[in-house]
Amino acid sequence: MAKRADSATRRARACQALMDKVHAITATEGINPSTLHAIKLKLVALANRAELFPLNDFAMPIAEARTHPLLIEDDDGHGLYLTISLPGKEAAPHDHGIWCANAAISGRERHDFYRRTDDGKRAGRAEVIKVGEVMVEPGMGMVMADHDIHATEVVSDHPAIGLALYGYALARFPSVSWFHPEFMSVRATASRRHAGDAR
Ligand SMILES: [Fe+2]
């Protein structure tokens, strides 16, 4: 038990240190391509410390994937999570509406990146084309700006375990747009940005 408490304490300290670095990076410049890149490198450095994230401390998903909160900031701040995705888990192209960075602890997840090419004037219609891909595996990460579009797929027969940092906590997420390239369609989930706010 004592050992488990130790790893939890060291992990909490390391997660707070990461968040402090993220704010130091964005304090003067805000979020832009170079600060996002710097954030990704910090997240990769934290994920490389696999001893801070022993699997015994995190329940496995029952199906598909599971997200464990590591550090959720107050005042509508950022959210840092440990994510576990089982082999075969995939996600269609989607746009989170908010920046995010991922870094692998173990396993491999492929991220395909897309660009929207239509003018967005027809409700429910969208055209996206693939423009690149990144394999998120130990030592690697990826970062996305507010409206970048990615699709994900766990590759190999091991779970993909990693860190995910979002500009907003998942409980206060904006609308997510899901694209279906084969049908040239798009569907948006409800925003959680102002859930609970007085109207
Ligand atoms: Fe995503």
Side-chain angles (χ1 to χ4, degrees):
M1 283 307 276
K3 198 169 179 196
R4 184 179 166 130
D6 287 347
S7 75
T9 304
R10 282 185 286 118
R11 177 165 63 246
R13 241 184 253 135
C15 291
Q16 186 61 58
L18 169 82
M19 209 62 99
D20 293 346
K21 286 174 195 159
V22 168
H23 286 293
I25 289 166
T26 57
T28 51
E29 284 182 73
I31 294 291
N32 62 42
S34 67
T35 56
L36 283 173
H37 184 72
I39 288 168
K40 180 186 82 171
L41 295 181
K42 299 294 182 197
L43 194 66
V44 168
L46 179 57
N48 284 345
R49 298 172 64 193
E51 75 282 1
L52 290 174
F53 307 99
L55 263 188
N56 283 345
D57 288 7
F58 300 96
M60 290 297 281
I62 293 166
E64 298 238 315
R66 186 160 186 161
T67 300
H68 295 274
L70 293 173
L71 177 54
I72 310 300
E73 290 191 305
D74 294 334
D75 301 323
D76 203 20
H78 308 328
L80 174 65
Y81 303 85
L82 181 140
T83 60
I84 305 175
S85 300
L86 296 180
K89 162 83 166 59
E90 54 187 350
H94 59 280
D95 157 12
H96 300 136
I98 184 65
W99 62 267
C100 79
N102 287 11
I105 296 170
S106 63
R108 309 172 84 200
E109 184 175 55
R110 197 185 70 243
H111 291 246
D112 293 335
F113 296 96
Y114 289 78
R115 188 168 76 84
R116 186 169 179 170
T117 53
D118 67 304
D119 59 12
K121 286 184 176 161
R122 286 185 61 191
R125 296 278 288 178
E127 195 174 331
V128 294
I129 55 168
K130 185 177 164 181
V131 292
E133 64 180 70
V134 166
M135 188 63 78
V136 176
E137 55 194 349
M140 297 290 293
M142 74 91 200
V143 72
M144 295 165 61
D146 285 1
H147 285 288
D148 285 350
I149 299 167
H150 76 154
T152 62
E153 181 178 0
V154 176
V155 292
S156 93
D157 53 1
H158 299 286
I161 302 173
L163 301 179
L165 175 65
Y166 296 99
Y168 292 130
L170 292 175
R172 296 183 62 83
F173 231 48
S175 169
V176 176
S177 296
W178 289 89
F179 298 91
H180 297 280
E182 63 273 39
F183 301 117
M184 292 178 63
S185 68
V186 59
R187 199 157 44 98
T189 63
S191 172
R192 302 176 201 158
R193 290 295 303 136
H194 303 291
D197 284 3
R199 292 184 178 218

